[in-house]
Amino acid sequence: MQQPAISDYGFLSDCRSGALVGRDGSVDWWCPDRFDQASVFARLLDPAGGHWRLAPLAPSRVERAYLPDTLVLRTVHHTPEGSVAVTDALAAEPGARGHELGMNSPAVLLRVVEGLSGRVRMQLDFAPRPEHGLLTPYLHEQPEGGVLATAGPVALVLRAAGEALRPDRDRVSCTFDVPAGRTVAFDLAYAPVYGDPPARLDPVTALDETVQAWQAFRETHRYDGQYVPQVRQSALVLTGLTYARSGAVAAALTTSLPERIGGDRNYDYRYSWLRDFSMTMRALWVGACPDEASRLFAWVARSIGRIGDRPVPVLFGLEGERDLSEHECTHLRGYADSRPVRIGNDAWRQRQLDVPGEVISAVWRLHDYLGDPFETELREMVVGLADQVAATWRQPDRGMWETRDTERHYVSSKALCWLALDRAVALAPRLGERAEPRRWAAARDEIRATVLREGWNDRVGAYTGAFGSAELDASALFLPVMGFLPATDPRMRATIAVVERELGSDDGLVRRWNDDPAGFVLCSFWLVECLVLAGEAGRARRLFERVLGHANDLGLFAEQIDLRSGVQLGNTPQALSHIGLINAAWRLTEPDTD
């Protein structure tokens, strides 16, 4: 089997979980219970990992697009015999509208085939493999029609309106004809094997309900800036990556898609990162609406809990779980034989000094909506984080890119410590008697002086990645974006120029460091923001449009783009890439607005 490109996949979501469906009609990834739980289809990571393919038997030319303002995907296959459309969606709860989307998703995958012209022979191949491919289910015909698949804790029921389905040992394989005007509809419903049975929906009606649910949700969101189609699409992706029950935004749908084909930097991104918090809040504020941002903030406050001596983890599970211990799935070959495949992410154990800066900055951004004074738990969280930063900022950490080698004094981490205390000082009037703005301000000023002195490298002529290092790091582009230094400051302007020259490329992509073979999409959008802030809006716009050209045909970005081949790399769809797009578009629209 030839491995599909990462950009070949379209993204479906019910705001509980998500699925990836390829241009070839194969659903190769679905974790139906929750974004960060076990898959039932994992061919994305191993040919034997399970899939559900529904496509013409003959080779076809493919056209596809989302239905307007939805994550419902319509794929048209043109064959010599005729054309068919396959519309795929994860079902919304019947009657759900607006912000109800995802609160009680039924965990049902819908696939509706429509004959458009001629007569097309279709092939169905259904091979579920629960628990990331470890289990091969028993398949049983059901008296009311359909096939029940059970293995371990999982029950799946596949039904077809108008077609008989019969299992053959560990899969369902069949062909059927779809003439013009005929509709054949399928639904695949999941449930825990010892819980309530899988939901039963009429797939055509459920598909219509799902379209209406998405469109009603998007009607509440307005964006009037530049690049409206791209911003609205990226906002849809962020909504689709939001676990509705808690408000947490998953960093990506997938685990272990490699940063480099054949490499081992393959991590599980199906969790929510606090480091991304302020950037995410800003993007939701711009591209979605304050309700999403407020719900995400409430999730963070609950997840962090009472601040103690231990550092706040950089990431949490989608319902606030802290222990995300990592293990390897040695039975999976990995995408394009890129091992290991990891479940869990041990970055939760790392010391990350930048986390409080993102959280307190987000509180500052929302302060007008959070009451005056703040509620007790919110005051305690901000004061606790500020005190922790003031006490620990001199320590080394793992840095923004979560290195797994030696701790260092990373420039971006120190700058975010400055941001934490700067925003805490501004919030002090709402923080009650325990606030110590004078002490925080003194520490803030010491951090700033230290970064300006130790972060600059005369030989390189730029702020580098870590104190005493000559290695460039694109995280320096975040300094003006966060407001640590103006982009017009001579040293900052020199840094932007050096990073663009040494880490940039002709097609607008920016690598994180010198030996990285791929452009990091977020860093590329940071460069756009830096150029706007430096007064070069025209050049920033041209760069922005070059970066947009690396999205797939559905407007989706993974984490990185290989500079040689142009293929997408890393987990997909990547929230940070779409966050960067929204924030850069807003910067182009309102250069003076934070």
Side-chain angles (χ1 to χ4, degrees), residues 408-412 454-457 463-473 475:
R408 296 178 176 86
H409 293 282
Y410 287 98
V411 171
S412 60
E454 303 294 338
W456 176 262
N457 187 296
Y463 291 104
T464 55
F467 291 177
S469 171
E471 183 176 357
L472 285 173
D473 191 316
S475 63

Side-chain angles (χ1 to χ4, degrees), residues 127-364:
R129 298 294 183 266
E131 206 164 332
H132 302 305
L134 280 173
L135 299 173
T136 301
Y138 291 101
L139 302 183
H140 306 280
E141 286 189 60
Q142 297 296 285
E144 69 276 15
V147 173
L148 169 67
T150 58
V154 171
L156 295 165
V157 175
L158 175 65
R159 302 182 182 94
E163 286 294 327
L165 299 175
R166 292 183 175 82
D168 181 12
R169 291 182 59 81
D170 62 353
R171 65 201 317 122
V172 176
S173 295
C174 64
T175 59
F176 55 96
D177 289 332
V178 182
R182 186 186 182 201
T183 296
V184 183
F186 300 86
D187 65 291
L188 175 63
Y190 157 84
V193 74
Y194 298 109
D196 294 332
R200 182 159 196 171
L201 303 175
D202 174 78
V204 174
T205 301
L207 182 62
D208 183 62
E209 283 278 336
T210 301
V211 171
Q212 292 183 54
W214 276 107
Q215 292 178 340
F217 189 85
R218 291 302 303 157
E219 284 172 5
T220 66
H221 301 164
R222 292 290 181 263
Y223 171 75
D224 298 320
Q226 298 183 30
Y227 301 100
V228 170
Q230 292 87 353
V231 168
R232 286 180 67 84
Q233 180 64 14
S234 288
L236 265 175
V237 172
L238 292 186
T239 301
L241 288 171
T242 300
Y243 181 66
R245 295 176 185 177
S246 68
V249 178
L253 180 65
T254 57
T255 179
S256 300
L257 293 185
E259 296 179 11
R260 180 184 303 185
I261 299 298
D264 62 357
R265 290 182 57 86
N266 317 321
Y267 301 119
D268 193 347
Y269 276 15
R270 299 172 301 150
Y271 309 109
S272 193
W273 263 251
L274 296 195
R275 179 191 297 110
D276 309 341
F277 187 48
S278 184
M279 289 183 284
T280 305
M281 294 279 282
R282 182 171 178 244
L284 290 174
W285 195 269
V286 169
C289 75
D291 286 345
E292 274 79 70
S294 299
R295 290 181 63 245
L296 176 58
F297 177 78
W299 170 81
V300 167
R302 286 192 299 269
S303 298
I304 290 176
R306 189 177 297 276
I307 307 296
D309 294 333
R310 295 179 178 177
V312 175
V314 69
L315 71 156
F316 288 89
L318 300 179
E319 293 185 355
E321 300 88 347
R322 183 170 292 217
D323 186 343
L324 302 176
S325 296
E326 185 178 294
H327 68 275
E328 297 182 4
C329 292
T330 56
H331 64 287
L332 294 175
R333 288 170 47 179
Y335 179 86
D337 291 320
S338 302
R339 295 181 177 89
V341 171
R342 293 181 169 98
I343 303 299
N345 195 311
D346 274 345
W348 77 274
R349 304 177 188 273
Q350 295 182 351
R351 177 163 51 218
Q352 298 286 355
L353 299 179
D354 51 2
V355 170
E358 283 287 318
V359 175
I360 298 178
S361 176
V363 176
W364 178 78

Side-chain angles (χ1 to χ4, degrees), residues 568-581:
Q568 296 196 10
L569 295 171
N571 287 302
T572 194
Q574 176 72 216
L576 270 183
S577 299
H578 292 276
I579 288 165
L581 186 158

